[in-house]
Amino acid sequence: MKISSAYIHIPFCQQICHYCDFVKFFYDEKAADQYLEALEIEMDGYVPGAKQVMKTIYVGGGTPTVLTAVQLEKLLKMIDGHFDIDKCEEYTFEANPGDLDQEKADLLAKYGVNRISLGVQTFDNTLLEELGRVHKEEDVYLNIDRLRHAGIDNISIDLMYGLPNQSVELFEESVDKALELNLPHYSSYSLQIEPKTVFHQRYKKGELSKPPEEDEVEMYHLLQKKLREEGIYHYEISNFSRPGYESEHNLTYWDNAYYYGIGAGAHGYLPGKRTINIRPLPAYLKKVFEDGKPVLHEEPVELKEMMEEEMFLGLRKMEGVSRARFKEKYDRDPDEVFGGAVDTLIDRGLLEEDGGYIKLTEQGKLFGNDVFASFLID
């Protein structure tokens, strides 16, 4: 496999959300200028010469669109200077509603960005405030109008469920409003209370609780049903799209393919190894300016790990894992590698097999982590 995807991390945010455990820092113009200089040095290390042809590029965060228009254009020019944007099939930027004025939307389109992932989370203003978000419901509509005016129609929005004080009815209202936008792609995630977040501190003090598990299950099933009725199919545990609008970059991860990880805290997967960059911003900058190599840790990926990851990443896709593709890549059938794990999970009603594909059942989608753990060889 060749490296044909890149993830680029922009760690700055106007506000730190109460649930977020990604690498992020409050936006500071001077720090952002330094960071962009460091990013270019790191990119030079991966692509020192002619532009590299990429299938997908994904710029995430943080909030990439929190950059000023001048900084955003510098970033876009930098990416264009290292990667062949004209031949890139999918070029995604993450954005938050409220951060995108028309100038920024036009800049993204001008430099070849053809997909936007918009962090909506919920259409309920009270819940948005409780999450620590700074946007309001009306900002969602305004930003989507600006993107469409700029010529970017491939827009995905994120929705969260299982939020504190969120009822099934409130989640249904958000789903209905999301569907009224007639977008090609939707992602939806259950809230996870992660360490070192505001929510985790409140949870430890007994000041925060999630809805009952049965309500979360009902929200997930409601989401599946409503999107299916609109012709939007479920292609990965947390992702739904109209045909032809699946996230090609995320499929890179789920297909266990190689990608660069560029920026503070970014993860990459290169031949024979996974990489993790330094997370703290001062330490990242210092290391890049010293030698251009901000990798904190390299983990060798041997055949055993590759086969494990092939299963638990591939099973996130609704089509599942192809026995034929697995054997083509590793010259072994999954049953030879994992013993009776597949049959055992089929007997438990968590997996099924259809046309040479091993995939999760509806019950398996609710207990995915249990299924994935069954494919750890040791």
Side-chain angles (χ1 to χ4, degrees):
M1 297 185 297
K2 64 178 183 178
I3 303 170
S4 58
S5 292
Y7 173 79
I8 301 166
H9 191 72
I10 306 298
F12 300 105
C13 291
Q14 180 183 353
Q15 171 86 5
I16 304 300
C17 299
H18 296 165
Y19 56 87
C20 180
D21 72 334
F22 295 134
V23 178
K24 74 281 183 188
F25 309 96
F26 283 109
Y27 173 77
D28 175 84
E29 186 171 357
K30 182 178 178 181
D33 282 337
Q34 291 178 314
Y35 186 78
L36 292 177
E37 290 177 29
L39 269 188
E40 185 152 31
I41 294 170
E42 189 182 0
M43 285 187 201
D44 287 341
Y46 285 120
V47 188
K51 292 184 182 183
Q52 184 169 339
V53 175
M54 306 300 282
K55 182 179 181 182
T56 70
I57 298 170
Y58 192 104
V59 183
T63 311
T65 51
V66 78
L67 298 174
T68 66
V70 171
Q71 290 171 332
L72 182 60
E73 185 164 26
K74 180 177 181 178
L75 173 63
L76 289 161
K77 286 181 176 178
M78 181 193 313
I79 295 170
D80 182 64
H82 290 83
F83 303 113
D84 192 336
I85 300 303
D86 292 337
K87 295 178 182 176
C88 184
E89 295 179 19
E90 183 184 276
Y91 185 5
T92 302
F93 256 69
E94 286 183 356
N96 279 342
D99 286 325
L100 272 175
D101 56 24
Q102 194 61 56
E103 181 182 11
K104 291 181 183 179
D106 290 341
L107 272 175
L108 293 170
K110 175 183 175 182
Y111 285 92
V113 175
N114 56 21
R115 184 176 183 273
I116 296 293
S117 178
L118 203 60
V120 173
Q121 315 313 350
T122 175
F123 285 81
D124 183 279
N125 285 338
T126 301
L127 288 179
L128 284 169
E129 186 174 351
E130 291 176 1
L131 290 172
R133 307 289 289 182
V134 295
H135 77 269
K136 302 294 184 185
E137 177 185 353
E138 55 266 28
D139 294 320
V140 178
Y141 309 123
L142 181 60
N143 279 189
I144 287 176
D145 285 345
R146 286 171 176 166
L147 288 167
R148 286 171 167 164
H149 185 268
I152 301 176
D153 296 310
N154 190 357
I155 302 167
S156 173
I157 64 172
D158 292 347
L159 294 175
M160 296 182 74
Y161 61 93
L163 301 176
N165 302 316
Q166 183 184 45
S167 64
V168 174
E169 291 73 24
L170 279 176
F171 180 64
E172 184 172 14
E173 287 177 16
S174 280
V175 174
D176 288 340
K177 289 179 178 180
L179 288 172
E180 288 173 5
L181 294 169
N182 193 29
L183 299 174
H185 192 281
Y186 298 86
S187 298
S188 191
Y189 307 90
S190 170
L191 171 68
Q192 303 298 310
I193 299 176
E194 303 287 358
K196 300 181 181 179
T197 63
V198 172
F199 272 0
H200 188 256
Q201 296 301 318
R202 292 181 183 173
Y203 181 75
K204 286 197 302 182
K205 295 176 183 177
E207 298 173 355
L208 178 143
S209 61
K210 294 184 64 178
E213 185 176 305
E214 56 268 26
D215 283 4
E216 285 198 42
V217 172
E218 186 175 348
M219 292 178 196
Y220 185 63
H221 287 157
L222 180 148
L223 175 78
Q224 291 176 301
K225 177 177 180 293
K226 283 186 170 286
L227 270 64
R228 184 171 58 247
E229 289 172 350
E230 295 296 321
I232 302 165
Y233 84 102
H234 194 182
Y235 73 97
E236 191 271 343
I237 286 179
S238 302
N239 287 273
F240 306 76
S241 80
R242 300 188 187 281
Y245 287 93
E246 302 84 355
S247 171
E248 291 297 330
H249 184 82
N250 285 339
L251 285 168
T252 297
Y253 303 146
W254 305 321
D255 287 337
N256 205 22
Y258 298 137
Y259 58 95
Y260 295 122
I262 301 169
H267 290 226
Y269 182 27
L270 308 178
K273 62 185 177 182
R274 290 193 181 273
T275 62
I276 303 174
N277 275 1
I278 296 168
R279 291 172 61 99
L281 184 58
Y284 170 82
L285 294 174
K286 182 174 185 292
K287 192 70 167 66
V288 172
F289 291 137
E290 281 179 354
D291 62 15
K293 299 175 182 178
V295 174
L296 172 68
H297 178 67
E298 289 187 358
E299 180 181 346
V301 180
E302 306 293 345
L303 180 61
K304 177 180 79 71
E305 287 81 17
M306 292 176 69
M307 293 188 294
E308 291 173 342
E309 292 169 357
E310 190 78 19
M311 293 302 294
F312 56 71
L313 291 172
L315 283 170
R316 291 190 60 91
K317 299 180 294 181
M318 294 302 99
E319 72 172 14
V321 175
S322 165
R323 282 189 180 273
R325 185 172 184 270
F326 189 99
K327 188 160 188 176
E328 180 183 354
K329 288 180 74 171
Y330 305 111
D331 198 30
R332 300 175 71 185
D333 185 85
D335 288 338
E336 295 178 60
V337 179
F338 302 106
V342 173
D343 288 340
T344 298
L345 291 165
I346 289 174
D347 290 342
R348 291 175 57 193
L350 301 176
L351 287 183
E352 60 185 343
E353 190 157 358
D354 181 21
Y357 283 82
I358 303 162
K359 60 184 183 179
L360 294 172
T361 62
E362 287 302 312
Q363 185 75 358
K365 293 170 191 174
L366 298 174
F367 299 98
N369 287 338
D370 292 338
V371 175
F372 305 152
S374 299
F375 293 101
L376 294 173
I377 294 172
D378 294 331

